[in-house]
Amino acid sequence: MSEGLTVVEIGGYAAGYAGRLFVHAGADVTRLAVGDSSSCWDSQRWASQRATDLYLHAGKRLRDATVAAARELTAEADVVICEAPTADAIDDIGLTSLTPRVSVALTPYGLTGPRCNWQSTNHSLLACGGYTGIMGDPGRAPLSLPGHYLDFQTGTLAYTAALASLYGAGVGERTPASRNTTSVDIAKLDTLLGLTQFTSVLYHCAGEIRTRHGSDFHFVTPSDLFRCSDGWVYVNIVPAFWDAFTLWLERPELLVDERFADNDRRIANKKELHAIVASIVANQSTAELSERAATCRVPVGIYHSMDAVLANPHLASRNFWALDTTAKTQTSEPLRIPRLPFSIERSSDGTAARATPLERCDDGSSERAPLTGLRILDLTHVWAGPLGVRFLADLGADVVKVEAPASRGPQVFPSRPLGGWLGGSAGDEPWNNNAMFAKLARNRRGLSVDLKQAEGRSAFLQLVAAADVVIENFSARVMTELDLDFETLREANPNIVYVTMPGFGASGPLRDRVAFGPTVEVMSGLTAMMGYGPDEPRNTAMALPDPIGATHAAAAILSAVRQRDAASGAQRVEMSLHEGIVAFNGPWLIDAQLGPAPTSLGNAHPNMAPHGVYPAQGDDAWLALGCRDDVDWRGLCALLPELNAELTQQQRRATQDSIDASIAAWTNTLDKHAAVAVLQQHGVPAAAVNTMPDIVADPQVAARECFVTYERFDVPMPGNPIRMGGSAAAMRPCPRLGEHNAEVLRDWLGWDDDAIAACANALADKPPA
C-alpha cells in the first residue's frame, strides 16, 4: 500500500510503467510532459497512442510543464522517476538539484561512463546487451525483440528501487533535517545484463559463446516450436520429463531407443528426434495436444495469437482483465486491459505491525543497504524466484536460502549444467559448483533442512515466526502437500508476507499445468509478434516469463511489506509467470480489440524507418540501427549521400527495402564497431550486435561495473542494475549447501548447541548418497 505517496513521473515507457505500478499501489501519480520531451518517445511506440495511454497512464494526472515548472512541481514529491534519452538530458531537467525523498534516473546507458550520451533505441540496446545476437535462425539476420520488454523491466526495477529506498528511510513524516534525497541510477543496458539467463556464465565458466538456434533452446532436446494441424506447439523437454514426453507422443518405444537414451544423445541425434516429433504432431490439433499434455504432465505450450490470448478461458476465470466500459471495442464490448501480474490479499487478523530494526553497517558509518533488517525465507528454485529474491538480497535483505538436502543432488543438477561449472569442472563437490546457482543465489545464507521431518518442519515454522517474508515458486499444490500453506504460515506469524509463484497461478483450469519459460512464452501472444514475419513465428530463446516474474516478485514483496507495515496483518502475494508476460503485451492486446490485431514485422518497426539489423564485415557480424525521426534520418543521409534526406517517415516506410539495401551495402564493408562509431558521430542510434566477448570488452560495461566477482569465485557475474550511491554494491558468494545451518538457527532463533544438535537429523551439508 502506497497511499499518501506523491509520485512524479517524467519520460517515456519505462517511467510510465513504474508510474502504473504506483497507481495500482494507491499513490498519487502526476505524469509531466516537460517541454517537447514527449516527441523523443512517440516514434518508439509499438502500439497506437490510444492503446499505450490506456495501458500505461490510466489513473494519473497528466500535465505539460516547462523545465522550470517541473523542478518546482517535483521538489516536494516523495518519489520522482525521470527517464531521459541521455545523461545530459537528465542534467537539463535538473533532477540532481531536486529534493524528493527518492529520485530515480532512468537512461539507456546510465549517468556515468564513456557512452552515457550515446543515442539509442531499445532496438540498439538489445543488440548491445547481447540479446539480438542469440535470437533468430543461424544463417539469417538476427531478430530484435519487439515490444516494450526493456522499458517495462526497467520501470519495474525503478518501482522496486523507490520502495526499497523508502523502506530504508524508515516510517514517518519528512522533516527539514531529514530532507536528504536517495538517488538511484538505473541504466537500461545494465538491466539487460542483469536479467540474462545463462549467456554470461556459459562464456565465463565454460568458455562457450551462445549462438542462434531459431526457437530451439539448444541445450535440452527436444525444445522447439512444431507445426500441428491448426497452429503451433512448443515442447520444452528437460531430462526429468523425457519418460512422460514419450507417453504424450504415444510412442513409448522411444524409451528404449539408444539414440535418445539421455539428453546428450538426444542432442547428438536432434535432427532425427525433431523429425519424429514433427511427423507425430503435424496431424494433431492444438486441443488434443493440450489435453494430453495435462494428462501426462509435460511442459508443452500452445501458440496463442493476440486474439487467442484475449479469449483464453484460464485468464477469464482468474479475473485477469480489468474492464473499461468507457472505451468500446470493435464489437462494442468493454475493453479488456491486463491487470498487474501479481495480487496482494491482506489478512485482517494480524497483530500490530512490527517495526523492522534499521541497523548500521559494521564500520559504524551512516551508510547502509536500504533493506537492512528485512528477513526473507527463500524456498525458490530454478530461475524466476531466485532472481527476484536476488534483487532484494543485493539491496541488503537478510535472505536465508532454505533447501532440501536433495535439492542439489545429481537428479536435480545434471551432469552438465546450462551455465557450466565454476572453474570449468564439477570438482569434488558438484552440488556447490554450479555456475547458474552461484549467479542467482549470491548474498544469501544457506539452510539445508528436510521439511518432511518433524524436527525440520518445527524449526522452519519457528523461522517463519521470526521472518518478514516467505517466498516459493513450487507448483500450486506443493506447499499444501507439505502442510505449509498460507493458513499454516499465518498461524506461525500473523504478520507474515507469503509469496507464491505458480506458473499459471493457484486457480483456474491451467492451475496444475507444468510451466517452463519457453512454453509459457508461446501462450502469451509474444511469439505471434516475434519472428521473420506472420508465417514464421519464433520464440525468443530467452525464456522471458522468468525474468519478468523475477522483477515483479521483488516489486510485489516490497509492496506487500509496505502494506503490512501500514495496516498490519499477513499478506498473501500471488505471482503468475503466465500473467506476467501477458501483461507485458498489454498495448498490443488493447490494439487487437480497437482495430486489426498487430502482426509480426520481422526487424521492422511500426513507426521508425529505417529500422533493422544489417550485416557487417566478418563472419556473422551485424549491427542494429533505427531512425527515430527526421533528425536521425538526415544524420544517416550525411553518411550515405545516395539516400534522399527529404523523405518523410511515411515515405521511408514505403521504400524501406531499397533503403535497407543501401545501408547493408555500406555496413558490409566495415567492422561493426567502427561502423557504429561513425553512426553515433552523426547522431544515429546504432549499436553492434554484441556477443559475450564484445560485451566483456565494452568500455561502458567496464566503467559501470556491470560484472562483479565474489569471494571464493574469481568469475565475473552480472551485477545489480539498481545503483545507489554511484557504484555497484559489494557481493557475497552463494552459500554452500547447508553452510549456515547453525548460524541461522542461532541468529534468528537464539538456539544453543544442544538445540541445534537435537535437530541434526533434519539438517545436512551434502546431498544424500
Side-chain angles (χ1 to χ4, degrees), residues 48-87:
S48 69
Q49 186 68 62
R50 187 182 182 204
T52 304
D53 288 345
L54 284 167
Y55 182 70
L56 287 180
H57 303 319
K60 300 174 184 176
R61 305 170 193 267
L62 306 178
R63 295 187 57 174
D64 292 327
T66 64
V67 171
R71 291 176 181 173
E72 182 178 346
L73 288 166
T74 58
E76 294 301 316
D78 292 300
V79 177
V80 175
I81 297 174
C82 184
E83 180 183 7
T86 62

Side-chain angles (χ1 to χ4, degrees), residues 525-541:
L526 178 60
T527 307
M529 302 300 294
M530 178 82 190
Y532 291 96
D535 297 324
E536 292 189 278
R538 296 290 184 272
N539 254 30
T540 64

